[in-house]
Amino acid sequence: MPTIIGVDAIDVRFPTSLNQDGSDAMNKDGDHSATYVVIRTDDPGAAGYGLTFTIGRGNDVCVLAAKLRGSPLVGRSVESVVGDLGGIYRLLKSDSQLRWLGPEKGVENLALAAVMNAVWDLAARVAGKPVWRLLVDMTPEELADVCDLRYLSDVLTRDEAVAMLAETVPTRKARIADLAESGYPCYTTSAGWLGYSDEKLRRLCAEAVADGYRHVKLKVGARLEDDVRRLRIAREAIGDDTRLMIDANQVWDVPQAIEWVRALAEFDLLWIEEPTSPDDVLGHAAIRAAVAPIGVATGEHGMNRVLFKQLFQARAIDYCQIDAARLAGPNEIIPIYLMAKKFGVPVCPHAGGTGLCEMVQHLSIFDYVAVSGSLENRVTEYIDHLHEHFVDPCVIAAGAYTLPDRPGYGARMHDASVARYAYPSGEYWASGSAAHRLRGGQ
Amino acid sequence: MPTIIGVDAIDVRFPTSLNQDGSDAMNKDGDHSATYVVIRTDDPGAAGYGLTFTIGRGNDVCVLAAKLRGSPLVGRSVESVVGDLGGIYRLLKSDSQLRWLGPEKGVENLALAAVMNAVWDLAARVAGKPVWRLLVDMTPEELADVCDLRYLSDVLTRDEAVAMLAETVPTRKARIADLAESGYPCYTTSAGWLGYSDEKLRRLCAEAVADGYRHVKLKVGARLEDDVRRLRIAREAIGDDTRLMIDANQVWDVPQAIEWVRALAEFDLLWIEEPTSPDDVLGHAAIRAAVAPIGVATGEHGMNRVLFKQLFQARAIDYCQIDAARLAGPNEIIPIYLMAKKFGVPVCPHAGGTGLCEMVQHLSIFDYVAVSGSLENRVTEYIDHLHEHFVDPCVIAAGAYTLPDRPGYGARMHDASVARYAYPSGEYWASGSAAHRLRGGQ
């Protein structure tokens, strides 16, 4: 088995702010970026690729944090790493000096996510399986051992985790066959960015329905009258049979969220996403009680499993939106899926940012096959955006993620993309528009 | 008025792990460090000094984040900055690309704290006042304008904030006179680090009482039988009239915390500090209900004002332990003091880390004079540790912080200390023990 000889963390930034892809009420000019981690070994054919997603400035801060976080891997055999995915996670997390900088949140958790996603990718490539299959093929005990259950035992013990996973084993094969036939359902946010014109919104909504989507999401929260007008356009374009969701990206205080969402109730909304601070468990619970039957969704900024535990305990959300690159990889995410099942909350992951769709499809598939066993009220975000930079991009057909069959976690980028968009030395940034150089470098 | 020509962020690390100062069940070998920010102007006599506290590795990550966060100050007049401390805070926070990396937590909040603490220091130096006096001399409306009230309006409106501050104005002078005479009460943690021997523990406890302390705190949580033995030694050494607190530094799950603390109840404990994850609002509420009359304290890792809002709403804590360098400066901390008053929770700040005592004394004094108006159940942490590196170190007499009268926030270090302990280029690290060079650089 080869040995790990280096863990690279590379600052890759795409100039998405140029055409307001990704614009919302909180994030007006993001440059979708990645802290891209490559685990190199002394076998040129054995490597692991992972990332965390950021939106521009500060990606260098994550890169530095990822370098520190990944350095204990260097010199270890690939076998010792991929053979003990729980132990490696605990080792990388165990640095108490780095822990002080979180703990388990913000830049440090983003960095750990980038590194652990690369570790899981490496493990899947070594096994010759996509990550979803690697997870499904682990025994309930093996899976429980990779789970980070610390601070969760008041709602989820190891024994419960094992029992929940064991319960799905006999029926997993049938669900894999389902997905091979129909894929995992997704929804599109591409239609509704806040910076798009009414005409573009109308056209994209109609196209989404024509493409087979049964869910469309719009950004809201800048001006109420704009939201009313845009939702009317969207509802006309998609008809009554397609579900419509809205996303405020944390712009409101709790009382304002309640008032604003109630003012939009006429548009038959499935959920309001990120109505307020992602840290405000009790605030989400208050909003949920006040705006029902409109559901409350949050989680893309959910910092760690302890926050999700409380969102479930407080009955604060109707839809749980984990993120594959803000939580610290499958080790932290699987326990959230297990808690979600216990509390009866469907998980509808966040995606769309650089590489997030490529990774998160594996988690949704794993959830259906091995945890929830259900597709009811479940739909995973998809945005048609930046996939051309990935070696194994996700494949969407008729509003669903097609079951991926290539080994790994999907986050490997084309070398040419990394070279061109590496910041600030890549060809695009070194020779690109001065405005972008300045903005990115501020 | 001068102009800001640079915002430096310097990586300063002290080798405190050598003698286990600061050792506890979670943090066994911290090197107490600072991300030290200096706001330079074109007037050599006008500068601002601030910091955030870390414990070694990863301080470089905070330094990079602080450089990014502070850069919008460069080129602004000192007048425009110190004359609009609310506007400057909002400006520095408004970068939506950096916001993605938190939001408002972890490395990014530590970095913002370092920069804003330097801004407040600059403002106080320009005014020729200590920060506590600068705060006390602001009108209730001016103070409310510097407060970050976003996401708080369900429990604290601007009008309430103004009214609470206005209520204390007539009696402030008398309380300042109190403090000038008796100081602000503090307690010591220096006696109880986990790495100390029983003999050292016994001697330091006895010394603490002899020095006038009425409160002593011990680290716990590694092994129950050690905790029982150490608490017995401490209680014997301090007698029945001195309050005894324990601190578990987040090592327990919720059920384990309840069981362990109940097993220590015989030692008449005032509080259990950080029994579990600092993010677990509902967990703290459950522990509090189970271990009463022992109080629950937390907050040194409390990431932002939204977390504290929920700790108050959920009646999760008996003592609120804000940190001057993890929260984003006085702009974020004052609203927490106001919420604490509204909910009747005494604020007993965390301190002890590099420069924390120097800064936090200003906040405790401000609280007594302008917010709570009370010293009941209030005591601020003090550790006799690293003060020699500060130009205006805090002064302790008879178990109390003496009212500081020098202009600024207290975080300015001696140039010689910065030069010697700058990492990795300072004289200590460049020429010091190889073991430390390796450990710090890992």
Side-chain angles (χ1 to χ4, degrees):
Chain A
M1 267 281 204
T3 297
I4 294 172
I5 56 171
V7 178
D8 301 332
I10 305 164
D11 186 341
V12 182
R13 306 191 193 187
F14 300 102
T16 52
S17 62
L18 290 181
N19 55 352
Q20 296 210 301
D21 292 344
S23 56
D24 61 53
M26 187 66 86
N27 307 294
K28 292 182 176 58
D29 61 350
D31 285 322
H32 282 201
S33 303
T35 291
Y36 182 57
V37 169
V38 180
I39 300 174
R40 286 181 289 110
T41 76
D42 52 12
D43 172 356
Y49 306 88
L51 60 79
T52 194
F53 168 58
T54 79
I55 61 170
R57 275 183 300 282
N59 197 39
D60 46 346
V61 178
C62 280
V63 163
L64 180 57
K67 284 178 180 169
L68 279 169
R69 196 58 90 164
S71 63
L73 294 173
V74 178
R76 291 177 191 271
S77 73
V78 169
E79 189 169 17
S80 71
V81 170
V82 306
D84 185 13
L85 292 164
I88 281 294
Y89 170 85
R90 288 187 289 275
L91 171 78
L92 296 186
K93 274 194 71 164
S94 69
D95 186 317
S96 64
Q97 295 189 3
L98 294 179
R99 188 180 188 279
W100 188 270
L101 306 178
E104 307 190 67
K105 58 179 65 73
V107 166
E108 284 298 323
N109 230 38
L110 291 164
L112 182 57
V115 174
M116 283 308 307
N117 286 339
V119 167
W120 280 89
D121 181 77
L122 176 65
R125 288 175 190 275
V126 168
K129 300 174 181 179
V131 158
W132 70 262
R133 171 69 81 175
L134 179 72
L135 290 168
V136 168
D137 287 350
M138 292 169 82
T139 68
E141 290 77 11
E142 287 169 342
L143 263 177
D145 286 341
V146 305
C147 285
D148 186 349
L149 298 174
R150 187 167 202 182
Y151 298 136
L152 303 185
S153 62
D154 45 339
V155 309
L156 182 73
T157 65
R158 184 178 184 283
D159 287 349
E160 282 179 291
V162 169
M164 288 167 76
L165 291 162
E167 199 188 333
T168 67
V169 170
T171 52
R172 289 183 185 185
K173 205 169 165 182
R175 285 190 295 280
I176 294 173
D178 282 355
L179 293 181
E181 182 156 329
S182 309
Y184 194 100
C186 62
Y187 72 88
T188 179
T189 310
S190 302
W193 297 117
L194 213 54
Y196 287 180
S197 70
D198 288 357
E199 276 322 295
K200 188 168 182 179
L201 170 68
R202 188 187 308 273
R203 174 171 59 78
L204 292 173
C205 282
E207 285 175 11
V209 176
D211 288 344
Y213 289 103
R214 311 303 299 154
H215 300 76
V216 168
K217 191 170 83 184
L218 258 63
K219 300 292 182 175
V220 298
R223 292 176 66 227
L224 181 58
E225 64 237 56
D226 290 342
D227 291 347
V228 170
R229 191 187 69 253
R230 287 160 46 79
L231 282 169
R232 186 159 291 132
I233 291 168
R235 183 48 88 192
E236 284 170 8
I238 66 176
D240 289 342
D241 293 341
T242 299
R243 304 309 308 255
L244 187 56
M245 297 93 87
I246 56 172
D247 182 355
N249 291 87
Q250 315 168 24
V251 293
W252 299 316
D253 274 32
V254 172
Q256 189 186 17
I258 292 169
E259 194 180 349
W260 198 302
V261 173
R262 283 178 170 167
L264 301 175
E266 64 177 296
F267 299 106
D268 186 20
L269 304 171
L270 182 63
W271 77 50
I272 167 65
E273 178 171 330
E274 290 206 306
T276 190
S277 163
D279 308 325
D280 197 347
V281 173
L282 302 178
H284 281 86
I287 293 167
R288 180 172 183 249
V291 306
I294 299 171
V296 167
T298 196
E300 73 179 77
H301 279 82
M303 60 190 169
N304 60 34
R305 68 204 177 282
V306 178
L307 181 84
F308 284 94
K309 179 182 78 167
Q310 295 176 86
L311 287 169
F312 298 134
Q313 288 176 300
R315 311 275 167 189
I317 53 173
D318 297 279
Y319 300 92
C320 170
Q321 300 179 303
I322 58 101
D323 182 291
R326 189 175 292 277
L327 296 158
N331 307 73
E332 184 164 36
I333 294 172
I334 297 170
I336 295 171
Y337 274 110
L338 292 166
M339 290 190 288
K341 181 179 186 182
K342 184 167 174 178
F343 284 87
V345 176
V347 180
C348 300
H350 171 247
T354 322
L356 294 183
C357 298
E358 276 67 26
M359 294 189 289
V360 87
Q361 60 179 337
H362 294 266
L363 302 173
S364 290
I365 292 162
F366 164 75
D367 177 43
Y368 176 56
V369 173
V371 182
S372 72
S374 170
L375 294 177
E376 196 183 338
N377 287 323
R378 285 165 175 87
V379 63
T380 297
E381 189 166 18
Y382 171 70
I383 304 179
D384 185 8
H385 171 64
L386 301 178
H387 302 289
E388 65 275 20
H389 300 296
F390 289 85
V391 174
D392 297 315
C394 58
V395 178
I396 304 296
Y401 280 94
T402 303
L403 202 63
D405 57 3
R406 303 283 298 275
Y409 206 1
R412 182 178 186 181
M413 290 194 207
H414 291 295
D415 294 345
S417 293
V418 176
R420 179 164 168 76
Y421 292 102
Y423 184 86
S425 60
E427 185 194 340
Y428 176 83
W429 296 105
S431 66
S433 81
H436 250 83
R437 278 206 308 281
L438 282 171
R439 194 187 301 165
Q442 190 180 29
Chain B
M1 269 281 205
T3 297
I4 293 172
I5 56 171
V7 178
D8 300 333
I10 304 164
D11 186 341
V12 181
R13 306 190 193 187
F14 299 102
T16 53
S17 62
L18 289 181
N19 54 353
Q20 297 210 300
D21 292 345
S23 56
D24 60 55
M26 185 66 84
N27 308 293
K28 293 182 175 58
D29 62 349
D31 285 322
H32 282 199
S33 303
T35 291
Y36 182 57
V37 169
V38 180
I39 300 173
R40 287 183 288 109
T41 75
D42 53 10
D43 173 356
Y49 306 87
L51 61 79
T52 195
F53 167 59
T54 80
I55 61 170
R57 276 184 299 284
N59 198 38
D60 47 345
V61 178
C62 280
V63 164
L64 180 56
K67 284 177 180 169
L68 278 170
R69 197 58 90 163
S71 63
L73 294 174
V74 178
R76 292 177 192 270
S77 73
V78 169
E79 189 170 15
S80 71
V81 169
V82 305
D84 186 13
L85 292 164
I88 282 294
Y89 171 86
R90 289 187 289 275
L91 171 78
L92 296 186
K93 274 194 72 165
S94 69
D95 186 316
S96 63
Q97 296 189 3
L98 294 179
R99 188 179 188 279
W100 188 270
L101 306 178
E104 307 189 66
K105 58 178 66 71
V107 166
E108 284 297 324
N109 231 37
L110 291 164
L112 182 57
V115 174
M116 282 309 307
N117 286 339
V119 167
W120 279 89
D121 181 77
L122 176 66
R125 288 175 191 275
V126 167
K129 300 175 181 178
V131 158
W132 71 262
R133 172 68 83 176
L134 180 71
L135 290 168
V136 169
D137 287 350
M138 292 168 83
T139 67
E141 290 77 11
E142 286 168 342
L143 262 177
D145 286 341
V146 305
C147 284
D148 186 348
L149 299 173
R150 188 168 200 179
Y151 298 135
L152 303 185
S153 63
D154 45 340
V155 308
L156 182 73
T157 65
R158 185 179 184 282
D159 286 350
E160 283 178 290
V162 169
M164 288 166 74
L165 291 162
E167 198 188 333
T168 67
V169 171
T171 52
R172 289 183 185 184
K173 206 168 165 183
R175 285 190 296 280
I176 294 173
D178 282 354
L179 294 180
E181 182 156 328
S182 309
Y184 194 98
C186 62
Y187 72 88
T188 179
T189 309
S190 301
W193 298 118
L194 214 55
Y196 287 1
S197 71
D198 288 357
E199 277 321 294
K200 187 167 182 180
L201 170 68
R202 189 187 306 274
R203 174 172 57 80
L204 291 173
C205 282
E207 285 176 12
V209 176
D211 288 344
Y213 289 102
R214 311 304 298 152
H215 301 77
V216 168
K217 192 169 83 184
L218 257 64
K219 300 292 182 176
V220 298
R223 292 177 67 228
L224 181 59
E225 65 240 52
D226 289 343
D227 291 347
V228 170
R229 190 186 71 254
R230 287 161 47 78
L231 282 168
R232 185 159 293 131
I233 291 169
R235 182 50 87 194
E236 284 169 11
I238 65 176
D240 290 341
D241 293 340
T242 299
R243 305 309 309 255
L244 186 56
M245 298 93 87
I246 56 172
D247 182 357
N249 291 87
Q250 316 168 23
V251 292
W252 299 317
D253 274 32
V254 171
Q256 190 186 16
I258 292 169
E259 194 181 348
W260 199 302
V261 173
R262 283 179 172 166
L264 301 175
E266 63 177 297
F267 299 107
D268 185 20
L269 304 170
L270 181 63
W271 77 51
I272 168 62
E273 178 171 331
E274 290 204 307
T276 190
S277 162
D279 308 326
D280 198 347
V281 173
L282 302 178
H284 281 85
I287 294 166
R288 180 172 183 250
V291 305
I294 299 170
V296 167
T298 196
E300 75 180 75
H301 278 82
M303 61 190 169
N304 59 36
R305 68 203 176 284
V306 177
L307 181 85
F308 283 94
K309 179 182 77 167
Q310 294 176 88
L311 288 169
F312 298 133
Q313 288 176 299
R315 311 276 166 188
I317 53 173
D318 297 280
Y319 301 92
C320 170
Q321 300 179 303
I322 59 102
D323 182 290
R326 190 174 292 276
L327 295 158
N331 307 73
E332 184 164 36
I333 295 171
I334 297 169
I336 295 171
Y337 273 110
L338 292 167
M339 290 190 288
K341 180 176 187 184
K342 183 167 175 179
F343 284 86
V345 177
V347 180
C348 299
H350 171 248
T354 323
L356 294 183
C357 297
E358 277 67 25
M359 292 189 290
V360 87
Q361 60 180 337
H362 294 268
L363 302 173
S364 289
I365 292 162
F366 164 73
D367 178 42
Y368 176 55
V369 173
V371 182
S372 72
S374 170
L375 294 177
E376 197 183 339
N377 288 322
R378 285 167 175 86
V379 62
T380 297
E381 189 165 18
Y382 171 71
I383 303 179
D384 185 7
H385 172 63
L386 301 178
H387 301 290
E388 65 274 20
H389 299 297
F390 290 86
V391 174
D392 297 314
C394 59
V395 178
I396 303 295
Y401 281 95
T402 303
L403 202 63
D405 57 4
R406 303 282 297 273
Y409 205 3
R412 182 177 184 180
M413 289 192 207
H414 291 295
D415 294 345
S417 293
V418 175
R420 179 162 168 76
Y421 293 101
Y423 184 86
S425 60
E427 185 195 341
Y428 176 84
W429 296 105
S431 66
S433 79
H436 249 86
R437 278 207 308 280
L438 283 171
R439 192 186 301 164
Q442 189 181 29

